[in-house]
Amino acid sequence: MRTYLNRHLQVLFAAIGTFARTPFASLATILIIAITLVLPSILYITLKSGQQIAEGWQGRPQISIFIDTELGAQEAKLIFAELSLHPAIETAEFLTPQQALEEFTALSGMSYELDFLGENPLPASIVAMPDQENSESDSLQALKTELEKIEGIESIRLDLEWTDKFNSLLNTAERTTYLLFALLSAALFLIVGNTIKLLIMNRRDEIEVTKLVGGSNAFVRRPFLYYGFLFGVCGGVCALVLLYFSAIYISPALENLATLYQKETLVYQLNWHELLCIVAFGGALGWIAARLSVARHLRHIKPR
Amino acid sequence: MITLDHVSKIYQNGHQALNDVSFNMAAGEMAFLLGHSGAGKSTLFKLITAIEKPTSGRITVDGKSFDKLRDSQIPALRQEIGVVFQDHKLLYDRTVFDNVALPLIVIGMSHDEIKKRVRAALGKVGLSGKEKVLPVALSGGEQQRVGIARAVINRPNILLADEPTGNLDESLSDEILDIFADFNRVGVTVLIATHDLRQVERLNKRTIELSQGEITGGETIEPTKLS
């Protein structure tokens, strides 16, 4: 067991030594792998951020219910109480005409024009969120029809279309991310495979001599597997560094956006598990690519 | 120790390198394989080291019949055979130590043991203190000694040498051949391909003569053939 470990350690250090002897070529390959890993990672973060925003709405549409302006405050609150108890509605928030005006003024910046009107034209309103069962398009329409029958309700507006569009966009982004991930993984595969092929060609004499003195295929193959693995792992680590600097560059703009959406942050933070996954994925893909490349090219080399 | 029984070898391009070659070498024997370029000496060595497979005939080396030899068993067979080449086949970007240590690294020997063995082997071939030198800094004779040290470091039962003195002057040739004779004295079976008849006469060992892929003579060479 100790001999086995010693052999692997010797090969690992020899592989690191080879990296050190050709720093620029190795670094170039590692950076290409890193960039190949960063692109889908950024898309993944974007996707997760979008999903995080959608989760903020609990993935459910809002129902805006406008009360008849002829009704007094007490009657409007009675309607609110009735809606709050409705089994299909999970949460409801009452907005007085004054609160609605303040919110509208803040968002529109039209205070002067509203002052010119003299009186508040906005009705009292209720912002309700249906429960999960009633969040689908059909059941939501049925709920709307049911609520419209309540006396004192002027109109009801659903923001279903907008959330549908957003969810559809997220689904498209998800598929695009996975597709890009697969394509760039294939690219990474080819990059490592080709690099290993060049290494094999450069070390042809050494491979021949090693086989002549009794080196088994496993012995000859081992350093190249380590190269592939190390290329992948180093590429993964570099990808994390690139992601970190990308986040530093983008974060001021995103923080600004988050403020507008009244959120602390919009960007999905990768957890340790996901960070390790990027490095492990790079290492595993590098190892498999090296294994296939070695199997393909090594069998053509035999002692002369 | 080495037996070839009606062995022929025809390469894919149709060239017949060996034709119905049969001979036997006992354990601890030393012999010279004589023949001009293209006689089939190198092909014979490639067959004995399982680099090539015979087109027909049977080969047995160190008790192992090649008929039953699987590809996975070839490395273990080669670990039993030390081979010295005319062109040395050294790794020129590695030190003398790394070159000589290679067969021991292959079998997974510990670093301390490798150090001891490499020092001892280099001492035997007169290259003590040259461990850290690159082969390009050595003379042709010294490079050949590095090749010999690498061939014997694993204490093989069989030592094959393909024109080991081809590029060396007389005195260096004598030194190199004496090293092979020393190994033979301790029981190693030695087969040397050469066309240096002076060495054959000097060491007075068995000969196997090859010409155009066929054995044309053998046993101890007659003085009249020497020029």
Side-chain angles (χ1 to χ4, degrees):
Chain A
M1 185 64 188
R2 199 172 163 183
T3 307
Y4 179 80
L5 283 175
N6 272 343
R7 275 189 209 182
H8 278 268
L9 278 177
Q10 278 174 355
V11 177
L12 176 64
F13 287 125
I16 293 169
T18 304
F19 273 30
R21 279 197 293 274
T22 53
F24 294 110
S26 301
L27 194 65
T29 307
I30 287 167
L31 278 177
I32 291 169
I33 293 168
I35 291 165
T36 311
L37 286 171
V38 158
L39 291 174
S41 301
I42 287 177
L43 259 178
Y44 176 76
I45 292 169
T46 310
L47 179 71
K48 281 285 189 182
S49 302
Q51 284 171 345
Q52 201 167 253
I53 292 167
E55 276 168 20
W57 307 320
Q58 296 172 317
R60 277 171 267 168
Q62 285 185 342
I63 308 168
S64 300
I65 301 156
F66 300 100
I67 310 293
D68 191 339
T69 47
E70 301 296 318
L71 290 187
Q74 282 299 104
E75 289 159 308
K77 284 199 173 171
L78 279 174
I79 294 173
F80 169 66
E82 186 182 345
L83 288 180
S84 298
L85 295 172
H86 194 286
I89 289 174
E90 193 169 289
T91 59
E93 186 188 357
F94 183 74
L95 286 175
T96 62
Q98 187 55 35
Q99 284 170 322
L101 182 68
E102 281 168 9
E103 194 173 297
F104 182 72
T105 306
L107 289 172
S108 67
M110 294 170 68
S111 59
Y112 176 76
E113 288 82 351
L114 290 167
D115 286 346
F116 186 73
L117 287 173
E119 61 178 39
N120 182 2
L122 299 176
S125 59
I126 297 162
V127 178
M129 189 177 283
D131 62 11
Q132 194 70 49
E133 283 178 23
N134 290 285
S135 293
E136 295 301 317
S137 186
D138 292 345
S139 49
L140 207 61
Q141 284 294 348
L143 180 65
K144 183 189 173 196
T145 310
E146 183 194 332
L147 296 181
E148 275 172 342
K149 289 175 186 163
I150 297 173
E151 202 172 325
I153 290 180
E154 177 73 33
S155 65
I156 295 176
R157 189 166 59 80
L158 302 176
D159 56 1
L160 186 66
E161 193 181 343
W162 194 83
T163 50
D164 277 352
K165 278 181 184 172
F166 187 78
N167 283 330
S168 169
L169 201 68
L170 278 183
N171 283 338
T172 309
E174 191 171 8
R175 279 171 181 261
T176 309
T177 302
Y178 293 144
L179 182 68
L180 197 73
F181 199 65
L183 287 173
L184 289 174
S185 297
L188 195 151
F189 208 79
L190 293 173
I191 292 163
V192 175
N194 198 48
T195 305
I196 296 298
K197 177 191 167 185
L198 292 175
L199 277 171
I200 290 172
M201 295 303 141
N202 282 341
R203 295 178 63 176
R204 193 185 177 98
D205 290 344
E206 186 182 339
I207 292 166
E208 281 183 14
V209 172
T210 304
K211 285 191 170 184
L212 269 176
V213 300
S216 63
N217 284 336
F219 180 87
V220 174
R221 191 168 50 220
R222 199 171 296 141
F224 298 105
L225 299 185
Y226 271 100
Y227 293 143
F229 177 71
L230 284 177
F231 273 131
V233 167
C234 293
V237 172
C238 274
L240 298 188
V241 174
L242 287 176
L243 278 174
Y244 175 73
F245 283 111
S246 303
I248 288 178
Y249 177 70
I250 296 169
S251 58
L254 286 172
E255 274 171 26
N256 196 24
L257 198 64
T259 311
L260 291 175
Y261 279 89
Q262 297 170 334
K263 282 181 174 284
E264 278 184 23
T265 178
L266 281 177
V267 184
Y268 175 74
Q269 306 279 327
L270 291 174
N271 57 40
W272 277 108
H273 175 72
E274 287 162 326
L275 293 173
L276 274 176
C277 269
I278 291 175
V279 178
F281 179 76
L285 211 62
W287 188 87
I288 295 167
R291 172 106 199 173
L292 291 178
S293 181
V294 165
R296 183 176 153 78
H297 301 293
L298 219 53
R299 65 165 172 250
H300 298 303
I301 300 176
K302 61 178 190 178
R304 282 175 287 184
Chain B
M1 183 58 84
I2 301 173
T3 304
L4 274 77
D5 186 13
H6 300 289
V7 170
S8 295
K9 174 67 186 176
I10 303 170
Y11 285 104
Q12 278 184 336
N13 61 7
H15 170 65
Q16 175 139 26
L18 291 176
N19 183 26
D20 198 30
V21 170
S22 296
F23 73 86
N24 179 55
M25 274 187 80
E29 193 178 357
M30 181 169 176
F32 287 101
L33 188 62
L34 302 177
H36 296 289
S37 286
K41 301 191 297 288
S42 296
T43 298
L44 194 67
F45 276 19
K46 284 179 182 174
L47 291 175
I48 294 171
T49 50
I51 292 170
E52 295 287 350
K53 289 180 178 170
T55 309
S56 62
R58 302 179 77 177
I59 300 172
T60 307
V61 174
D62 203 11
K64 296 178 187 84
S65 170
F66 283 18
D67 293 346
K68 297 168 189 166
L69 198 68
R70 291 195 301 271
D71 283 352
S72 59
Q73 293 174 309
I74 291 173
L77 172 85
R78 289 189 187 144
Q79 287 164 16
E80 299 291 319
I81 305 171
V83 188
V84 179
F85 304 92
Q86 183 180 6
D87 61 354
H88 321 312
K89 289 205 189 298
L90 300 179
L91 303 173
Y92 288 92
D93 58 342
R94 305 290 174 88
T95 62
V96 167
F97 180 93
D98 291 339
N99 271 280
V100 177
L102 188 59
L104 302 181
I105 294 170
V106 159
I107 60 169
M109 193 172 276
S110 72
H111 192 65
D112 289 343
E113 186 63 23
I114 289 174
K115 262 186 181 175
K116 274 188 217 162
R117 288 251 202 135
V118 171
R119 280 200 194 119
L122 288 176
K124 270 184 199 166
V125 296
L127 287 176
S128 291
K130 302 266 188 184
E131 288 92 340
K132 292 178 182 171
V133 177
L134 288 173
V136 283
L138 299 175
S139 67
E142 286 174 322
Q143 287 184 23
Q144 191 59 285
R145 287 165 194 236
V146 175
I148 294 169
R150 186 184 62 194
V152 300
I153 189 99
N154 217 5
R155 296 171 185 163
N157 297 325
I158 299 166
L159 194 53
L160 305 177
D162 190 4
E163 302 282 2
T165 58
N167 299 322
L168 306 178
D169 61 33
E170 273 189 17
S171 70
L172 267 176
S173 295
D174 290 352
E175 281 180 34
I176 296 291
L177 265 295
D178 287 344
I179 293 171
F180 287 116
D182 287 344
F183 283 114
N184 176 242
R185 250 174 244 126
V186 294
V188 179
T189 307
V190 181
L191 179 60
I192 301 169
T194 185
H195 54 256
D196 186 350
L197 298 179
R198 195 186 64 81
Q199 291 294 350
V200 177
E201 183 194 26
R202 190 174 71 85
L203 291 171
N204 195 29
K205 298 287 182 183
R206 178 186 164 189
T207 59
I208 299 162
E209 291 177 39
L210 267 181
S211 178
Q212 295 183 321
E214 294 181 8
I215 291 187
T216 54
E219 299 305 327
T220 310
I221 196 162
E222 295 164 23
T224 49
K225 286 190 179 175
L226 295 172
S227 53

